[in-house]
Structure formats: structure tokens, C-alpha cells
Amino acid sequence: MRTTVGIIGGGPAGLLLARLLHRAGIDCVVLESRSREYVEQRQRAGMLEQGTVDALREAGAAARLDTEGLVHHGIELRFDGERHRVDFPSLTGGRTVTIYAQTEIVKDLVALQLAEGPPLLFEAEALAVEKPESGAPVVRFRHEGRERTLTCDWVAGCDGFHGISRGVLPAGRSYTRAYPYAWLGVLAEVAPSCEELIYARSERGFALHSMRSPSVSRLYLQVPEGTDARDWPDDRVWDELAARFAVGDDWALCRGPITAKSVTPMRAFVHEPMRHGRLLLAGDAAHIVPPTGAKGLNLAVSDVRILARGLVEWHRSGESPVLDHYSELCLQRVWQATRFSDDMTRMLHTRPDGDAFDHRVQLARLRRIAASREAAAELAANYSGLPLPL
């Protein structure tokens, strides 16, 4: 097989890149190792920055998003029995965020890809990327029991943290941070108890109230690393959430059937560089951030927007300053999002080895945001999405 851009990975990064390239008249092939059913059911993020929504609209993939997505104009911080709302539009010049599950984004992009092209191969396992330094790199993959090759002008590694793409890069450097706690996440068939996300810091630990739709709630609890979700029966989950969200008024947490539980370790990872020859990494293949800042999916989309712009530039002129500086451009935003996610994580979580000093410093940070327009505006700007460095 021969194509212009070989895309390894059929998650939101790979699918969005394929869609943007297709609309620009650039042919590509997407190789996804899992089945369609699997990729359309993976539970992941659901908070979209303004720029991510704009990118999906640009790709012609926002019909359901615009109908079903829940536009939020802020978040609520809870701490020390108090609540404080951060209003995004007034602090950012009108920017908002949208709640729309990653599973739905993938479904939308898969449907468009299969209906309009370019080729999307499920259960096509990438085995190797060969000759990435040449003008015609080759992806070896296995599909329908046969080993095949895909010759490309460029290869986009959108295959996640455990994919093969990053391992193809020669000497580089990886930066990591492991946090001493995890998140227990639950999906519940119950209407959300709030109109906007609640980030709660208590001496019992962190809690987050999010949602997937007007009838489905998504909630998280800080738990010790290594926690087994089976040790948390439903009543214990609801009781602990209620205790951590408690404030000095009549607000109450709505309870309902829990349909899924999972434990997510908290970590950060950034690999530099994000390009080797004609192999370029995007999304989780190059970086992971703790979910507190809601940046994982949004960072993947920003990588793809930069990559698509560079490939279109190259397709039209044979040259691309954006591709020449792809790694540096992406990493500017990656490190800002990593810093923000780390700040949010440290401010809101209770450390196992923390003491009264740590507690008072966390409260001081939160009270600064509550009392200072400048501090609140900095949080709002980062949460709703910093501009692309282009």
C-alpha cells in the first residue's frame, strides 16, 4: 500500500488528523490495532477546551457535539466548607468549555471516516516503522492474518503511551512524575447534582463531580495508589463523595446506580523530541498529564492541529516551517498544560505524607483564586485552553 500520511492509531488524535487531512485533499491511511467496538467504548475524558470544539467544527465533525454537548461557563471550587465559582467568559473574553464524552467524539469521527474516507483499518496492528529518516518511511503491520507494508511520505504516531511509535525515536529524554495517589472513577445512571463541574478539596482527599449527559454523572475520588475498585462498594463510594463535597448549605448529592468503576494512576510523562525524520508523535504517544487539569484529550487535539497545518503547508509548497519546528511548537503548549495540571493536582489533593503546613498552603492557594481576579483569570485561561503557539 502507498499513501501520503500513514497514521498509527485510531483514537481521537489519529481520527481527527485523518479528517483534517482528508478535507485538505491529502490522502492517508489509519491503522488501528483494536476493533471498532473497542475504540468506540473506551471511557476517557469528556471536557473539551474551546480550541478543541473549534477543531472538531473545522473538521466537519461537530454536528452531534453542537446538539448534545453541554456548554459550561465555569467551574466550582469547594474547600474548607465553602464554595467559589470561577466564571470563564468574564475572565477570558468569552471563552467556554464543553462537556462531550471522548467515546462520542470517536463514534462521530469513525462514522465520517467510514462514510467518506480515507481508509480506516481496524484490527491492524502496527509492528514497526522502518526508514523514518528517508523520504519514504514504511510501516509494517498485520491485518487479517497477513503481514503487510504501508509506504508513506510521513508517519504520524498517534498510538498512545503503549504504542510502538515512540520506541522508534533514537536518543531523547523522557520526564516523568508519579503522584502518591490515584483516582477511583465511577459512572452513574443519575442526573448530575450540579450544573458545572465541582472540584472539591477536603482533608479526606480530593473529589470531582463531572457528567457525561443530563442523565449520566461521572465522579471521582482520590484514593491510595494501588487501590482495588472492588474494595469500594457503591454505598461506600456515595458516602465518601457526599462527605468530600459537603458545604454549609442545603446542597445534596444525588445518588443512583453505578454502572462502571475504574482506578486511574496519577502520573505525568513528557518525551522530547516529538519528531524523528518523517515520524511525528501526537497525543499520549508523546505525553501524559494527570487528569486534574482535564488536558489529555485537548493536548492531543492541539498536537494534531499543529501537525495538520504543517502537512497541509508541505503538501502545497513542498516545504513547511511548521513541520521543521513541530516538536518545539507542540512542547511549548505541552509543558504549559503539564505545569497547570501539576499545579491543580498539588493544590487539590491530600498527600499521604502531608502535614498541617501543606494543608494551610493549599487553602491559601485556593483562597487566592477566590479573592483575586488575576489569580482566577490565570486558572480560567489555562482551563479553557491556551492559544496554539503559531
Side-chain angles (χ1 to χ4, degrees):
M1 299 176 67
R2 181 72 170 84
T3 193
T4 302
V5 182
I7 301 174
I8 306 175
L15 291 168
L16 179 58
L17 176 60
R19 182 70 184 163
L20 292 171
L21 295 179
H22 175 65
R23 288 170 70 86
I26 302 173
D27 61 295
C28 59
V29 174
V30 181
L31 306 176
E32 167 54 48
S33 64
R34 302 281 193 165
S35 67
R36 179 180 180 178
E37 179 182 26
Y38 181 90
V39 300
E40 289 186 342
Q41 292 182 356
R42 280 185 292 206
Q43 290 294 332
R44 292 291 190 274
M47 197 292 291
L48 310 184
E49 295 175 355
Q50 182 74 62
T52 297
V53 173
D54 294 343
L56 290 165
R57 288 174 178 155
E58 178 188 348
R64 280 208 307 139
L65 166 63
D66 285 335
T67 301
E68 301 175 17
L70 306 175
V71 177
H72 284 195
H73 295 82
I75 60 172
E76 183 178 304
L77 300 175
R78 292 191 179 185
F79 55 93
D80 208 22
E82 306 170 6
R83 58 165 74 185
H84 177 77
R85 183 172 181 270
V86 180
D87 184 86
F88 293 162
S90 67
L91 295 165
T92 64
R95 295 174 72 81
T96 61
V97 298
T98 301
I99 303 300
Y100 188 67
Q102 179 173 314
T103 49
E104 303 309 309
I105 294 173
V106 170
K107 289 175 186 176
D108 295 343
L109 290 169
V110 166
L112 286 168
Q113 187 93 350
L114 296 177
E116 302 177 15
L120 166 58
L121 304 182
F122 289 106
E123 299 181 88
E125 180 188 5
L127 304 173
V129 178
E130 299 173 347
K131 302 186 293 183
E133 305 94 338
S134 73
V138 174
V139 181
R140 285 196 298 107
F141 67 100
R142 183 180 294 109
H143 184 237
E144 296 179 340
R146 294 174 47 217
E147 187 169 313
R148 306 174 66 182
T149 59
L150 177 64
T151 303
C152 324
D153 294 313
W154 299 89
V155 177
C158 305
D159 49 346
F161 184 79
H162 298 290
I164 67 161
S165 297
R166 189 175 66 254
V168 177
L169 274 67
R173 182 167 182 181
S174 295
Y175 301 85
T176 62
R177 169 66 49 83
Y179 296 87
Y181 30 74
W183 276 13
L184 172 66
V186 301
L187 270 177
E189 296 289 340
V190 61
S193 308
C194 51
E195 295 183 357
E196 297 173 333
L197 274 63
I198 301 172
Y199 286 76
R201 189 266 176 209
S202 78
E203 293 188 43
R204 302 175 69 101
F206 169 74
L208 170 62
H209 193 321
S210 182
M211 63 279 294
R212 286 293 178 263
S213 75
S215 60
V216 177
S217 295
R218 182 70 160 155
L219 305 107
Y220 300 92
L221 282 169
Q222 175 188 344
V223 293
E225 55 181 337
T227 290
D228 188 333
R230 292 172 295 185
D231 294 335
W232 283 81
D234 292 5
D235 286 345
R236 184 185 179 192
V237 171
W238 288 120
D239 289 346
E240 189 62 28
L241 285 166
R244 297 189 192 185
F245 287 128
V247 286
D249 57 28
D250 59 357
W251 183 90
L253 178 67
C254 298
R255 304 185 182 208
I258 292 177
T259 58
K261 294 177 188 173
S262 61
V263 175
T264 302
M266 299 285 284
R267 58 179 174 170
F269 172 88
V270 180
H271 182 83
E272 298 183 0
M274 291 173 58
R275 176 182 173 180
H276 172 56
R278 293 204 168 191
L279 169 63
L280 306 105
L281 305 182
D284 288 358
H287 44 74
I288 292 175
V289 291
T292 324
K295 292 296 157 210
L297 170 62
N298 295 294
L299 273 183
V301 170
S302 65
D303 289 348
V304 164
R305 294 175 74 191
I306 294 169
L307 180 51
R309 188 173 301 187
L311 289 168
V312 170
E313 193 176 62
W314 172 84
H315 182 69
R316 291 173 178 169
S317 68
E319 298 180 352
S320 174
V322 171
L323 290 182
D324 291 343
H325 299 283
Y326 172 73
S327 189
E328 301 97 303
L329 289 169
C330 289
L331 286 167
Q332 287 181 45
R333 202 171 191 276
V334 166
W335 277 113
Q336 287 300 323
T338 302
R339 172 201 56 79
F340 174 67
S341 299
D342 183 72
D343 287 348
M344 290 283 284
T345 301
R346 291 174 180 274
M347 180 173 67
L348 292 165
H349 289 73
T350 303
R351 288 188 60 89
D353 59 351
D355 56 19
F357 179 89
D358 297 309
H359 171 69
R360 301 303 293 182
V361 167
Q362 287 177 314
L363 289 179
R365 289 174 176 166
L366 287 161
R367 288 188 177 123
R368 173 65 178 167
I369 294 168
S372 164
R373 180 177 176 84
E374 291 77 11
E378 175 67 11
L379 187 154
N382 282 272
Y383 197 96
S384 61
L386 298 177
L388 291 185
L390 289 172

